[in-house]
């Protein structure tokens, strides 16, 4: 049988890795897929031929639209990234009856509902394993491997750049910007690195995970997103003293009231495996009612790890090319007519424990006043410590851990605390998750 001809959009970090891995492992991949797979045409504006193998058999153009119009191609791999023209290219490819494989989390999180509807109508597949946690096959695990479960919650380190920055700051005391530059040089960071450090990239990925876990439409705009830029070295140190590590987590959980969908710095007990996932590595913890907690760990970014996921999707598509569309794995894990309209909870309606840090005057009665404000709001303190002054003798850091509280209740208490004359500046808060329920 002739090889399946594929069009590749993008020959950058992931596109180059995809060509190289396919060239290197072509025989092994064909034995798995049941047919050879050949990248026949690629679109790229600029690329480095010396880093690519197998390029001599690929026709390269700078016109991506000519690739999605090429009638010889059955599958389009979209590795351009970003919203536009990726969206137009993917929709055009679908319209032309081509299957699509993409690593584009932003595209799926924002326009996935539209893209999947178009693909379903046209009877083609859109596969996106590489969009979440790079080389970790987390989409396949949640969508297929855990299909018997009611998923209860997912908590993941799903941005390698952010994890790399937090790890280097903690272990080596390095400067934020210096570590970010290194992540950019290694090809981990997004084109706009604020997507990494402000949690937007993780929110794209969490939006996708939440949808396939709970069978809800993609709703990126409702995902609460908070970055890591406000974390100070003293928070890292105090977290450590309480027995926690600060990780930038994406958390989605189904509760009786609705679905939590939130990305923020999180204190996790240091004994948890996920608290020990360092550097650029990703890890996703999934709790199913039948299987219990399961953990998936691996490279969440980079050329060949991401190519591994892209090519696994290509193999999946090739294996099911002749299958009736209705017998394929549904894009969002649940049959399209079975998606649920469960509300996504605003962050004020989410319950969690908190770490609080505030600067207080060194005089009698201050701690008692703060404790009484918290008590009046129904908030229990689990641990409290007054620290040595950091810069100025006139105030002292006061840190505490609370028990679980609804965020809107905490907001009221914090506003009252910040109004006290004996409290300076704003109260720093970090959500605490034990990840053991
Ligand atoms: N910028 C992303 C990260 C790349 O650092 O994880 C992979 O999606």
């Amino acid at each position: 049988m002739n090889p399946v001809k594929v069009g590749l959009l993008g020959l950058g970090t992931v596109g180059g890795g995809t060509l190289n891995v396919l060239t290197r492992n072509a025989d092994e991949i064909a034995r798995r897929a049941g047919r050879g797979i050949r990248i026949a045409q690629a679109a790229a504006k600029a690329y480095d031929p010396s880093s690519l193998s197998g390029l001599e058999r690929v026709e390269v153009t700078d016109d991506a639209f000519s690739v999605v119009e090429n009638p010889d191609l059955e599958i389009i791999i979209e590795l351009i990234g970003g919203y536009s023209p990726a969206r137009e290219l993917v929709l055009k490819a679908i319209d032309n009856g081509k299957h699509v494989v993409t690593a584009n989390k932003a595209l799926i999180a924002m326009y996935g509902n539209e893209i999947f509807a178009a693909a379903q109508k046209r009877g083609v597949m859109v596969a996106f394993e590489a969009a979440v946690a790079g080389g970790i096959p987390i989409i396949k695990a949640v969508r297929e491997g855990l299909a018997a479960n009611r998923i209860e919650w997912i908590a993941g380190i799903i941005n390698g750049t952010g994890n790399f920055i937090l790890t280097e700051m903690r272990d080596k005391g390095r400067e934020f910007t210096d570590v970010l530059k290194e992540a950019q040089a290694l090809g981990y960071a997004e084109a706009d690195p604020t997507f990494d450090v402000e949690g937007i990239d993780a929110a794209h990925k969490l939006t996708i995970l939440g949808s396939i876990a709970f069978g809800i439409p993609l709703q990126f705009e409702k995902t609460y997103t908070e970055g890591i830029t406000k974390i100070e070295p003293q928070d890292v140190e105090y977290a450590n003293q309480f027995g926690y590590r600060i990780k930038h987590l994406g958390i989605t959980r189904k509760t009786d009231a609705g679905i939590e969908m939130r990305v923020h710095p999180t204190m996790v007990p240091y004994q948890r495996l996920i608290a020990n996932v360092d550097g650029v590595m990703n890890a996703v913890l999934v709790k199913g009612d039948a299987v219990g907690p399961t953990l998936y760990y691996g490279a969440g970014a980079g050329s060949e790890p991401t190519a591994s996921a892209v090519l696994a999707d290509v193999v999946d598509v090739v294996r099911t090319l002749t299958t009736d569309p209705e017998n394929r794995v549904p894009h969002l894990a649940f049959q399209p007519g079975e998606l649920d309209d469960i509300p996504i909870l605003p962050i004020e309606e989410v319950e969690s424990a908190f770490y609080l840090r505030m600067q207080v005057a060194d005089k009698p009665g201050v701690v008692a006043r703060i404790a009484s404000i918290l008590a009046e709001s129904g908030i229990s303190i689990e641990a409290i410590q007054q620290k040595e002054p950091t810069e100025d003798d006139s105030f002292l850091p006061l840190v505490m851990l609370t028990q679980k509280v609804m965020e809107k209740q905490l907001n009221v208490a914090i506003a009252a605390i910040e109004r006290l004359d004996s409290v300076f500046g704003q109260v720093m808060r970090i959500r605490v998750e034990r990840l053991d329920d």
Side-chain angles (χ1 to χ4, degrees):
M1 206 185 289
N2 288 334
V4 178
K5 288 190 183 160
V6 177
L8 177 61
L9 308 181
L11 276 174
T13 305
V14 181
T18 299
L19 181 62
N20 289 342
V21 174
L22 182 58
T23 303
R24 189 169 75 233
N25 297 342
D27 291 345
E28 196 99 345
I29 290 171
R31 283 172 57 212
R32 291 195 171 103
R35 274 178 80 178
I37 295 168
R38 187 159 91 76
I39 294 176
Q41 195 180 22
K45 296 268 184 236
Y47 58 99
D48 172 15
S50 67
S51 66
L52 301 171
S53 54
L55 192 62
E56 61 288 350
R57 300 203 308 141
V58 182
E59 183 203 328
V60 183
T61 169
D62 63 0
D63 178 9
F65 281 93
S66 71
V67 177
V68 299
E69 296 288 4
N70 182 342
D72 292 341
L73 306 175
E74 286 187 76
I75 301 171
I76 298 295
I77 305 177
E78 184 277 304
L79 301 175
I80 290 177
Y83 301 129
S84 184
R87 172 170 167 262
E88 294 79 7
L89 286 163
V90 164
L91 288 172
K92 181 48 88 178
I94 292 170
D95 199 34
N96 288 338
K98 299 179 193 309
H99 305 282
V100 173
V101 171
T102 179
N104 192 335
K105 54 258 164 158
L107 180 73
I108 297 298
M110 282 289 280
Y111 299 109
N113 299 323
E114 176 193 20
I115 288 168
F116 298 147
Q120 200 203 341
K121 207 164 144 206
R122 197 67 178 76
V124 296
M125 286 171 266
V126 176
F128 52 93
E129 181 63 71
V132 182
I136 306 174
I138 188 65
I139 301 291
K140 199 173 224 2
V142 175
R143 201 164 57 175
E144 299 173 51
L146 301 179
N149 287 262
R150 272 190 291 111
I151 305 294
E152 295 177 0
W153 52 263
I154 295 180
I157 296 172
I158 44 180
N159 181 269
T161 303
N163 201 40
F164 183 58
I165 292 172
L166 285 177
T167 305
E168 292 286 302
M169 286 174 74
R170 188 194 69 214
D171 290 352
K172 301 181 189 156
R174 288 178 64 188
E175 288 290 325
F176 185 93
T177 43
D178 171 43
V179 189
L180 177 58
K181 272 192 203 129
E182 189 179 339
Q184 286 173 299
L186 291 168
Y188 300 143
E190 294 302 296
D192 176 354
T194 58
F195 273 44
D196 296 296
V197 298
E198 296 298 352
I200 300 160
D201 176 74
H204 286 142
K205 296 165 180 168
L206 185 73
T207 300
I208 299 170
L209 284 176
S211 283
I212 62 168
F214 304 120
I216 55 171
L218 295 148
Q219 295 160 81
F220 170 68
E221 69 289 352
K222 293 189 184 155
T223 300
Y224 173 78
T225 307
E226 184 183 313
I228 54 174
T229 50
K230 289 192 193 131
I231 302 290
E232 292 192 18
Q234 52 182 322
D235 297 313
V236 175
E237 176 54 27
Y238 299 153
N240 198 30
Q241 290 170 12
F242 277 128
Y244 289 83
R245 295 227 166 124
I246 301 175
K247 290 290 174 191
H248 201 195
L249 292 190
I251 300 173
T252 182
R253 184 191 302 268
K254 193 171 184 181
T255 72
D256 291 341
I259 288 174
E260 298 175 7
M261 198 80 92
R262 47 194 173 106
V263 171
H264 49 69
T266 311
M267 277 173 43
V268 182
Y270 77 94
Q271 305 96 321
R272 300 279 173 274
L273 283 172
I274 201 166
N276 295 281
V277 170
D278 287 334
V280 77
M281 301 308 273
N282 281 197
V284 186
L285 188 50
V286 184
K287 171 84 189 298
D289 71 323
V291 72
T294 57
L295 181 66
Y296 308 83
Y297 168 87
S303 176
E304 293 207 357
T306 312
S308 163
V310 167
L311 288 166
D313 271 349
V314 175
V315 169
D316 257 0
V317 171
V318 171
R319 281 173 175 159
T320 53
L321 275 175
T322 53
T323 310
D324 292 336
E326 58 273 20
N327 293 330
R328 294 177 184 142
V329 178
H331 294 114
L332 289 177
F334 292 70
Q335 297 298 335
E338 297 292 336
L339 294 186
D340 239 336
D341 214 7
I342 312 169
I344 295 184
L345 297 171
I347 193 70
E348 293 76 19
E349 303 287 329
V350 170
E351 217 182 51
S352 74
F354 283 86
Y355 155 95
L356 304 177
R357 172 175 57 79
M358 56 202 85
Q359 308 282 19
V360 300
D362 187 11
K363 55 184 189 195
V366 174
V367 175
R369 183 72 199 106
I370 291 166
S372 94
I373 290 176
L374 290 169
E376 282 155 23
S377 304
I379 301 167
S380 295
I381 299 171
E382 191 170 291
I384 185 162
Q385 289 180 4
Q386 192 148 2
K387 303 288 184 184
E388 293 298 312
T390 45
E391 296 147 18
D392 181 339
D393 282 338
S394 61
F395 56 83
L396 302 167
L398 179 71
V399 291
M400 62 183 81
L401 296 181
T402 74
Q403 290 188 345
K404 276 191 174 181
V405 52
M406 183 84 75
E407 185 130 349
K408 63 182 173 195
Q409 226 172 310
L410 183 82
N411 290 344
V412 173
I414 285 184
I417 291 171
E418 286 176 346
R419 280 197 296 272
L420 295 175
D421 290 339
S422 47
V423 172
F424 300 91
Q426 290 190 321
V427 175
M428 171 70 176
R429 73 175 84 178
I430 301 175
R431 294 168 192 85
V432 179
E433 294 287 337
R434 298 195 180 285
L435 304 179
D436 60 353
D437 56 347

